[in-house]
Amino acid sequence: MIRFHNVSFSYSPAQRWVIRGANFALPPGIFCLVCGASGSGKSTLLRLINGLVPHFSGGIVEGEIDVQGVNPIQVGPQQMSRQVGFVFQDPETQFILDRVEDEIAFNLENAAIPAPQIAQRITDTLQALGILHLRQRRLESLSGGEKQKVAIATVLSLAPSVLVLDEPTSQLDGHSAEEILTLVQNLARQRKLTIVIAEHRLDRLLHFTDYLVYLPGKEQPPLAGDPRQVLLQMESVPPVVQLGKRLGVQPLPLSVAEGRQMLQNVGMDRLAHRSSFSQSWLTNRESRQAVLSLEKLRVVFGKTQALSLVSLQLYASQILCVMGSNGAGKTTLLRAILGLAPLQEGRIQLLSEDITALSTWKRSRLIGYLPQDPNALLFSETVLEELLLTLRNHALPEDAEKAGSLLEKLGLATHADRYPRDLSVGERQRVALGAILVTQPLVLLLDEPTRGLDERAKSRLSDLLRDFRDRGMAILVVTHDVEFMLNLADRLVILENGRLIADGAPAEVLLASKLPPAQILQLFPNQGFRSIDEVWQAMGEALSRMPDKNDHQALLVCHSDDNRPPLLE
Amino acid sequence: MPEGHTPAHFHAWVWLTWMTTILLCVSLTRNPLYLVVVWLCVAIVHAAGGMGELAGGNAPLPFWLSLMVVPFGAIFNAFTVHVGERVIFILPGQFPLLSGKITWEAVVYGATNGLALSVILLAFWVFNRNVSIPSFLHMLPRAFHSIAIVGSIAITFVPLLQREVHQIQEAQAIRGNNLSGLRNKLALLLPLLVSSLEHAFQLAEVMTARGFLQSSVSSNQTVWRGAFLGGFGLLLGGWLSRFWGLPGWAANLLFGGAMALFVIVVLATTRKVRYTVYRSTPFRLRDALAMSGCACLLIFLLFQSFVLSAPRLAYSPYPVLRLPPFEPWVACLLLGTLSPWLMAAFQKHDSVS
Amino acid sequence: MRQRLLERLMSDLVILSSTLLGCFSFLYPFFFPNFEQTPSPAGIRITEMPLTMTLILGLCVLAMLFESQQSTANARFVALMGVLVALNSVLRYIETAIPGPGGFSPIFFLIILSGYLFGAKFGFLMGAMTLFVSAILTGGVGPWLPSQMFTAGWVGMSAAMLFPITSHLGWHGKAGETVVLAIFGAVWGLLYGAIMNLWSWPFLIGPSDQYWQPGISFSQTLTRYGVFYLVTSLAWDLGRSMGNVLLIVTLAPVTLRVLRRFRERFTFVYLAAEV
């Protein structure tokens, strides 16, 4: 039983409350999902459970917290580690020692568990997670997903009754994220653990959630309780739930299956095919010249062909998304374009000029690249300085005006003098984008830009990219986030084992592929919808053609403002 | 991951004892004949290759390299020390250090010194090769737990840093920075520092959440410090007793007392640290056997030097060069340093047949 | 309160004694001939000298490590030091990969700055652990390691003394700070070399030299050592010294800014019981 009674927290009396008036009780064995925008206090709430806040972070706590009869504020995080296992977000920075076995033993050693028991516990835990074969492996050789599994193993070895996970999949790709979440669900069931997990990917977890805690932020108390009730009051929800809210259906559907049922009930499961909006790129292809042309690229690492005979044309004013399973060669493709991966064969042409032999730093003036971890790009003391640094590197005039207007467009004008690393994840990404775009490149490459971003930041990014596209930029985005892709892409390309196997309209290509489909596509497989707004519009059109429209109209009239999802004020 | 490379691998303690014995040997004698025996033993063990748990990565030190110190020492000593009866020639002039008579005694002494140094170098090389990093850290007493963890973190982080350097170089290239030149290379240091500090903070949080307990800071800290000060006092006393010409055993007693005090402090604080040491490799009979030869020699040496102060091992070529004493039974004892190799050979023979 | 004062006093005493005795053991060769009055049986006494020196030094290092371990009583400092030591060890690779002039070693830069900002104990551990870890990583654990650890530790420890000086002069964050640190770096560049030579000298020359020239005085021994030093390592140490100055002058201001920015996050300790 985890109980929060009027709990509030702030870092100092001068600052605002991060958490205000949290009141809820989690019965044992429950699966609890914590959600909210970035900066709304999710991490803080989780850390209150095991005492990291305030012992590690400092600050003032008011109210009472009770975790299985123990007060974490009194006891401190080291002692709490026996009852509460905490798994962090970034698998890369969690490890102290070299080998998997030693890393798990670290927890047990610190708890002064007798030596003979340690070996047994390690074996049991590794088996429970299905990673016994990794026992003697060096940690640096493991993949992100495997590392997270080891991280879970380290805390599980102490046999806690509560497992707290702070966005455990945000740094992982789609497949590993699935694995981890399934694993956590299984563990919860087998060991009767209480799970408290903070996640952005609600769609994967909602159907399994017993209890939902939503943090609105801005010093408002968290909402907690039955998922279907709390979702009514939330802004960012998965597409199925969005649809349910707009249709005013109660109880809200949580999964695709429930969504289908709901559509059948309201008679909206058959809708007309959307216009050929998504086909536009095909008709214009012949009349446009490619901005970036890749011809028969081949990249070989050791014995594996990372890219084989990949040919691709990129056009101006077009957003191209690249998807594919793990290790398919997506990142390699981007790196090859920029010259960071050695080409065995092939040519790259930028506006009919051959740049295959050009060095990376020269290419970067016309081809902007945002890597997976934008932090590595931030060197300077202030945000403005970052942009000016790039100009200086390219020996371009350091035009503070130009940089300033770019910052405005990125929404960073007020942060021009701030230290970049103090900003939030989304803001840092935009600073990095600014640093790359200040030379006004023709092509923009982005590698998994949605990692660690919440819904608001994602839609902001989408808007920004669409804006750049409309100004003529050719944009290539590698992503595994299907919803994001559907909303944004003009064209979708799929890589598998280093080969290009599909190229065409996003929805069609996605459906035909082996990749996990988006919720919208699962509900409406043939219509080519890309967002709930399109669905809503189609519903409106369908309604106007229906004979018995009055019944349905009543439902739709309540939520007639179809550009804004209903909010409870 | 293969389990072991060779059939015989020994516990880290075996190698520690072995190396201590060798070092003690070398420190106590300048008898060239004995030193040659020791050198041969070390060379054999060295040539036998990796016998440790997970042999380290360094290639064996070539013999000629280690022997180079011998002529170097000989020449250096001959030209800087001008003492002895058997003169080779006399360097004329007024050079500050160099002029004077060049004697055979000096050459021999220098060569012996070089040989001692060579033994030391080889012994350390063998140690490095046979003791893996984790077992080395495991040997540290729990009283130094924090330091051992610092070491572990550092060792784990170094490969990550190297990857980070690569990433930062790429990031620089993406931003249009032409990477040539020392100045640009130095520009890597700052981003590396910043990301390392971030990493440290996250790591600290993870460690805290995983129950990293500090050694209980008890009120008896004063006692340990008092013990240290006492130990220092004894050390000083031992030294001064030398100056005042007191017999050797008095000084040794005081030194021994100091060491004992220090050891007691370490052991006592170790007991206070509530922490289990989980070791994957137990200490087995064959480890004890491998250690036995060294142990015998070690006891003999300690007895000789600290209790008797007898010059059984001593020799000096000055003032007149003469044949060094050689007692076969001492040489046999010295051969005790071969025990790891013997044990390994015995094991291999056993497993093959 | 008295308890804490007593603890501070004892702690400082241990550090002081350890340092003095350590210095003493390094200077042993100088004192030896002067005090050797009674002729002793040739051999054992003389050959024990490096052994005694190593023993005393080893015990001093032990005591110092024990004392300075206090600076890592907190997960944050353990992590901080681990990371800084790793960074410094990577820098040390540069020493062998790109040989600078003479004994140029980039490690002292971070050691000095750590001691300066985070205190004497942290500085000592930083120096000692850098040498320790880089020795382990390069497979170069050698007989010179304890004295290297001790001396590098001294560099870090003494850097802490500069802090009140610059604070008093109000030079924090200004050019004056860099100058003070640069001078410090230059001095230690030479001193480090001199001390390490003291350690290796008896090995190379052998103590019998002094023994057989009885009555040789302290100053004469010093002269001999001076010559030895000049001939062998002054050029080398000048390289180290100048290298330190160069690194500090170019990188210290920016690095200090970064470290200061992080210092608040690292030094915070939550006082639970006070509430």
Side-chain angles (χ1 to χ4, degrees):
Chain A
M1 168 71 87
I2 299 178
R3 215 160 37 87
F4 274 60
H5 183 66
N6 274 336
V7 177
S8 301
F9 172 79
S10 118
Y11 280 105
S12 76
Q15 293 180 356
R16 63 178 181 87
W17 294 103
V18 175
I19 299 202
R20 190 109 185 256
N23 251 313
F24 54 84
L26 304 177
I30 215 175
F31 193 99
C32 170
L33 182 59
V34 177
C35 54
S38 290
S40 58
K42 291 195 306 291
S43 295
T44 312
L45 190 72
L46 262 49
R47 281 165 172 75
L48 277 167
I49 299 178
N50 83 333
L52 275 176
V53 165
H55 283 263
F56 192 80
S57 62
I60 310 160
V61 179
E62 281 182 10
E64 284 161 30
I65 307 178
D66 183 286
V67 176
Q68 321 271 86
V70 182
N71 181 350
I73 302 177
Q74 223 171 25
V75 161
Q78 285 98 332
Q79 306 284 20
M80 287 304 291
S81 66
R82 299 276 215 145
Q83 268 120 329
V84 179
F86 201 103
V87 178
F88 292 83
Q89 198 184 71
D90 190 357
E92 302 293 323
T93 58
Q94 284 192 63
F95 299 122
I96 302 163
L97 299 170
D98 212 16
R99 281 174 211 281
V100 173
E101 186 176 27
D102 293 333
E103 192 69 22
I104 302 178
F106 181 80
N107 283 42
L108 298 165
E109 288 173 337
N110 278 302
I113 307 269
Q117 281 187 35
I118 292 186
Q120 190 57 46
R121 288 224 200 181
I122 293 180
T123 316
D124 290 342
T125 318
L126 287 173
Q127 229 162 22
L129 288 158
I131 50 171
L132 200 52
H133 60 285
L134 294 178
R135 187 176 189 145
Q136 297 293 342
R137 291 271 301 270
R138 297 182 88 107
L139 281 162
E140 52 176 3
S141 68
L142 300 178
S143 71
E146 288 172 330
K147 280 185 185 157
Q148 275 300 43
K149 287 187 194 170
V150 173
I152 298 176
T154 58
V155 296
L156 216 58
S157 62
L158 284 172
S161 49
V162 179
L163 196 62
V164 178
L165 303 103
D166 188 2
E167 296 193 38
T169 63
S170 70
Q171 302 291 333
L172 303 176
D173 67 83
H175 180 69
S176 308
E178 257 328 303
E179 266 192 8
I180 296 286
L181 292 176
T182 320
L183 187 68
V184 171
Q185 290 167 5
N186 290 336
L187 279 174
R189 240 182 320 208
Q190 283 164 13
R191 295 194 168 204
K192 307 215 183 346
L193 293 171
T194 309
I195 306 263
V196 182
I197 180 168
E199 256 296 338
H200 286 307
R201 298 173 210 234
L202 304 180
D203 49 316
R204 284 201 180 85
L205 291 172
L206 270 178
H207 63 280
F208 201 77
T209 310
D210 303 316
Y211 201 90
L212 185 62
V213 176
Y214 169 60
L215 292 159
K218 296 190 185 47
E219 302 203 341
Q220 286 177 349
L223 302 166
D226 178 52
R228 293 176 216 263
Q229 297 299 321
V230 179
L231 281 169
L232 281 172
Q233 303 175 49
M234 280 172 60
E235 268 190 48
S236 313
V237 292
V240 162
V241 181
Q242 253 188 61
L243 204 53
K245 281 168 80 171
R246 291 205 203 190
L247 287 171
V249 169
Q250 295 235 14
L252 285 175
L254 295 182
S255 66
V256 170
E258 292 180 18
R260 287 207 187 104
Q261 188 61 47
M262 168 190 75
L263 287 174
Q264 272 185 357
N265 291 347
V266 301
M268 283 284 160
D269 47 332
R270 279 176 240 282
L271 291 175
H273 194 105
R274 258 323 252 167
S275 69
S276 54
F277 173 79
S278 54
Q279 310 281 334
S280 58
W281 73 277
L282 273 170
T283 52
N284 289 337
R285 188 165 63 150
E286 291 80 29
S287 57
R288 286 203 285 193
Q289 192 214 7
V291 170
L292 187 68
S293 176
L294 310 172
E295 287 169 45
K296 297 207 177 72
L297 298 183
R298 206 158 79 88
V299 174
V300 178
F301 289 129
K303 296 209 183 89
T304 41
Q305 297 241 4
L307 287 180
S308 60
L309 299 177
V310 170
S311 295
L312 189 63
Q313 326 281 86
L314 240 71
Y315 301 97
S317 290
Q318 186 182 71
I319 298 183
L320 170 65
C321 277
V322 178
M323 296 186 80
S325 53
N326 210 14
K330 311 190 289 292
T331 305
T332 314
L333 178 66
L334 294 185
R335 289 164 64 87
I337 295 175
L338 214 64
L340 293 170
L343 271 182
Q344 258 68 31
E345 256 178 56
R347 259 186 353 148
I348 305 177
Q349 281 194 329
L350 185 67
L351 282 182
S352 57
E353 188 190 310
D354 192 329
I355 60 168
T356 318
L358 204 61
S359 57
T360 305
W361 70 276
K362 286 199 185 122
R363 287 190 218 192
S364 63
R365 195 162 81 82
L366 292 173
I367 304 179
Y369 174 48
L370 187 71
Q372 278 183 21
D373 181 18
N375 283 321
L377 292 183
L378 303 175
F379 310 134
S380 313
E381 297 277 323
T382 69
V383 169
L384 185 63
E385 185 59 36
E386 287 288 0
L387 274 68
L388 294 176
L389 179 65
T390 312
L391 290 173
R392 203 180 315 149
N393 283 334
H394 284 291
L396 290 170
E398 289 182 43
D399 192 347
E401 296 263 332
K402 198 163 68 170
S405 66
L406 179 60
L407 283 179
E408 261 200 59
K409 201 180 321 172
L410 292 167
L412 294 171
T414 49
H415 296 309
D417 284 323
R418 289 190 59 191
Y419 183 54
R421 286 183 182 253
D422 280 341
L423 302 173
S424 72
V425 175
E427 286 164 342
R428 265 182 273 157
Q429 190 187 58
R430 280 180 275 142
V431 175
L433 264 178
I436 292 163
L437 293 172
V438 73
T439 57
Q440 292 173 323
L442 301 168
V443 182
L444 180 60
L445 310 172
L446 298 110
D447 197 350
E448 304 275 7
T450 58
R451 280 200 184 171
L453 293 183
D454 64 357
E455 286 303 321
R456 205 171 15 196
K458 273 195 230 182
S459 68
R460 199 167 182 169
L461 181 66
S462 294
D463 291 338
L464 208 59
L465 291 177
R466 272 191 281 260
D467 184 50
F468 286 125
R469 174 203 53 195
D470 294 336
R471 286 164 199 265
M473 208 180 275
I475 302 181
L476 198 157
V477 183
V478 167
T479 183
H480 62 269
D481 188 332
V482 283
E483 255 104 34
F484 178 72
M485 185 279 300
L486 260 188
N487 201 15
L488 182 69
D490 298 324
R491 181 178 157 207
L492 177 63
V493 145
I494 307 229
L495 273 180
E496 189 166 307
N497 288 329
R499 286 175 189 277
L500 217 59
I501 58 170
D503 184 351
E508 279 88 337
V509 171
L510 187 61
L511 273 174
S513 76
K514 287 185 278 181
L515 296 168
Q519 284 192 336
I520 298 180
L521 290 181
Q522 285 181 306
L523 292 174
F524 300 103
N526 302 314
Q527 285 83 347
F529 292 127
R530 296 167 16 133
S531 69
I532 291 298
D533 291 327
E534 290 185 10
V535 173
W536 195 246
Q537 211 167 356
M539 281 187 179
E541 289 169 18
L543 192 63
S544 58
R545 288 187 233 120
M546 271 183 182
D548 53 346
K549 62 183 179 186
N550 290 312
D551 306 320
H552 299 284
Q553 196 151 23
L555 281 175
L556 290 175
V557 156
C558 295
H559 309 282
S560 57
D561 187 11
D562 54 350
N563 284 325
R564 231 188 38 167
L567 273 178
L568 271 178
E569 235 81 67
Chain B
M1 181 95 188
E3 282 161 21
H5 303 126
T6 48
H9 34 248
F10 299 114
H11 200 271
W13 279 108
V14 173
W15 294 110
L16 190 65
T17 321
W18 183 82
M19 200 171 72
T20 317
T21 316
I22 301 267
L23 288 178
L24 199 58
C25 237
V26 162
S27 308
L28 287 177
T29 181
R30 281 285 183 273
N31 184 329
L33 295 174
Y34 290 148
L35 274 182
V36 165
V37 173
V38 174
W39 190 92
L40 284 172
C41 294
V42 174
I44 292 174
V45 174
H46 174 265
M51 285 184 273
E53 299 161 7
L54 291 160
N58 20 334
L61 185 67
F63 286 131
W64 62 266
L65 195 64
S66 70
L67 281 177
M68 236 169 61
V69 250
V70 178
F72 177 74
I75 294 171
F76 192 84
N77 204 46
F79 279 94
T80 53
V81 176
H82 308 285
V83 175
E85 300 291 308
R86 311 234 177 144
V87 181
I88 310 171
F89 66 95
I90 299 184
L91 197 65
Q94 290 295 322
F95 298 120
L97 209 58
L98 300 175
S99 24
K101 50 184 180 174
I102 313 291
T103 65
W104 278 115
E105 281 84 12
V107 169
V108 167
Y109 194 84
T112 318
N113 249 7
L115 193 63
L117 205 56
S118 172
V119 170
I120 293 176
L121 289 175
L122 276 178
F124 269 101
W125 213 271
V126 172
F127 183 77
N128 278 328
R129 199 133 182 261
N130 285 304
V131 178
S132 66
I133 295 173
S135 33
F136 188 67
L137 287 174
H138 271 145
M139 280 198 299
L140 295 176
R142 272 183 291 151
F144 295 107
H145 179 41
S146 295
I147 292 183
I149 295 289
V150 168
S152 302
I153 293 176
I155 290 171
T156 309
F157 195 53
V158 167
L160 290 182
L161 267 180
Q162 290 169 330
R163 218 171 38 182
E164 194 69 36
V165 170
H166 196 65
Q167 268 186 359
I168 292 178
Q169 279 178 327
E170 284 189 354
Q172 293 270 26
I174 297 169
R175 296 275 300 276
N177 196 353
N178 187 3
L179 284 172
S180 60
L182 183 66
R183 204 161 152 262
N184 287 324
K185 293 233 194 304
L186 280 180
L188 293 176
L189 179 63
L190 245 340
L192 209 59
L193 181 64
V194 172
S195 70
S196 305
L197 292 171
E198 292 275 354
H199 179 105
F201 201 70
Q202 286 174 31
L203 194 63
E205 197 180 26
V206 172
M207 283 165 67
T208 311
R210 285 164 61 176
F212 177 67
L213 288 169
Q214 307 94 30
S215 335
S216 44
V217 181
S218 60
S219 55
N220 284 344
Q221 286 273 309
T222 325
V223 175
W224 310 138
R225 294 200 174 105
F228 275 133
L229 289 174
F232 285 135
L234 287 177
L235 281 178
L236 196 61
W239 215 334
L240 288 174
S241 74
R242 288 282 180 82
F243 294 159
W244 295 331
L246 287 175
W249 60 263
N252 293 329
L253 193 66
L254 289 169
F255 283 142
M259 254 181 62
L261 256 180
F262 277 67
V263 167
I264 289 173
V265 171
V266 171
L267 285 178
T269 39
T270 297
R271 215 175 288 275
K272 284 227 155 236
V273 176
R274 277 177 300 136
Y275 177 87
T276 324
V277 179
Y278 170 64
R279 278 193 207 152
S280 330
T281 41
F283 192 81
R284 279 167 293 210
L285 178 65
R286 64 164 187 237
D287 295 315
L289 287 176
M291 217 163 87
S292 56
C294 303
C296 290
L297 180 57
L298 192 61
I299 295 171
F300 167 72
L301 290 172
L302 287 172
F303 190 66
Q304 282 288 309
S305 67
F306 288 109
V307 178
L308 295 184
S309 293
R312 203 177 274 277
L313 298 166
Y315 167 77
S316 172
Y318 303 115
V320 182
L321 189 61
R322 62 185 185 282
L323 201 66
F326 188 80
E327 288 169 289
W329 65 274
V330 175
C332 278
L333 271 177
L334 290 176
L335 287 175
T337 49
L338 275 177
S339 51
W341 174 75
L342 283 172
M343 198 61 212
F346 184 66
Q347 286 246 294
K348 224 191 274 192
H349 180 77
D350 237 10
S351 61
V352 164
S353 67
Chain C
M1 195 54 193
R2 262 188 68 195
Q3 179 76 6
R4 284 185 56 190
L5 264 176
L6 181 66
E7 273 191 34
R8 266 301 290 285
L9 182 68
M10 294 287 268
S11 167
D12 291 340
L13 264 178
V14 171
I15 294 180
L16 192 66
S17 321
S18 167
T19 307
L20 280 178
L21 224 59
C23 284
F24 215 24
S25 76
F26 273 123
L27 295 173
Y28 198 24
F30 295 125
F31 294 111
F32 185 80
N34 212 7
F35 290 105
E36 190 58 45
Q37 287 169 354
T38 51
S40 58
I44 222 86
R45 278 255 186 111
I46 302 160
T47 52
E48 257 182 49
M49 192 195 74
L51 183 68
T52 332
M53 202 170 108
T54 318
L55 174 75
I56 296 178
L57 193 64
L59 291 177
C60 288
V61 172
L62 192 82
M64 280 301 294
L65 283 176
F66 197 82
E67 257 314 305
S68 43
Q69 212 184 198
Q70 284 211 333
S71 67
T72 53
N74 178 317
R76 247 171 298 208
F77 281 108
V78 171
L80 176 65
M81 182 162 307
V83 155
L84 285 177
V85 168
L87 193 55
N88 226 5
S89 306
V90 168
L91 281 178
R92 200 166 178 218
Y93 284 148
I94 299 178
E95 192 178 319
T96 44
I98 311 175
F104 171 65
S105 178
I107 58 175
F108 294 105
F109 172 65
L110 273 179
I111 295 176
I112 293 174
L113 289 185
S114 312
Y116 179 66
L117 281 180
F118 293 112
K121 291 181 183 164
F122 193 90
F124 181 84
L125 259 190
M126 179 71 184
M129 290 303 289
T130 302
L131 268 316
F132 186 63
V133 168
S134 50
I136 292 182
L137 284 175
T138 54
V141 176
W144 41 81
L145 192 60
S147 34
Q148 270 184 334
M149 281 172 66
F150 205 35
T151 320
W154 270 337
V155 176
M157 196 166 72
S158 50
M161 291 191 313
L162 292 178
F163 193 79
I165 298 175
T166 51
S167 163
H168 187 67
L169 287 168
W171 277 351
H172 281 184
K174 301 209 190 99
E177 196 176 37
T178 314
V179 170
V180 169
L181 287 171
I183 297 175
F184 188 77
V187 167
W188 262 112
L190 294 172
L191 205 56
Y192 185 82
I195 296 178
M196 289 313 296
N197 277 325
L198 272 174
W199 182 88
S200 60
W201 191 38
F203 263 100
L204 286 177
I205 286 198
S208 148
D209 174 42
Q210 295 92 31
Y211 180 82
W212 281 99
Q213 293 171 29
I216 191 171
S217 74
F218 179 66
S219 59
Q220 276 183 311
T221 319
L222 199 57
T223 329
R224 281 180 159 277
Y225 179 68
V227 175
F228 174 76
Y229 178 68
L230 266 162
V231 167
T232 54
S233 72
L234 186 61
W236 201 253
D237 293 339
L238 265 178
R240 188 186 299 114
S241 188
M242 288 300 115
N244 281 351
V245 172
L246 189 73
L247 276 178
I248 291 177
V249 165
T250 49
L251 293 176
V254 166
T255 314
L256 279 174
R257 252 205 307 269
V258 169
L259 285 173
R260 279 196 167 111
R261 206 194 289 270
F262 276 90
R263 189 169 54 172
E264 278 73 43
R265 288 167 78 181
F266 280 104
T267 50
F268 163 77
V269 172
Y270 178 72
L271 301 165
E274 318 267 316
V275 173

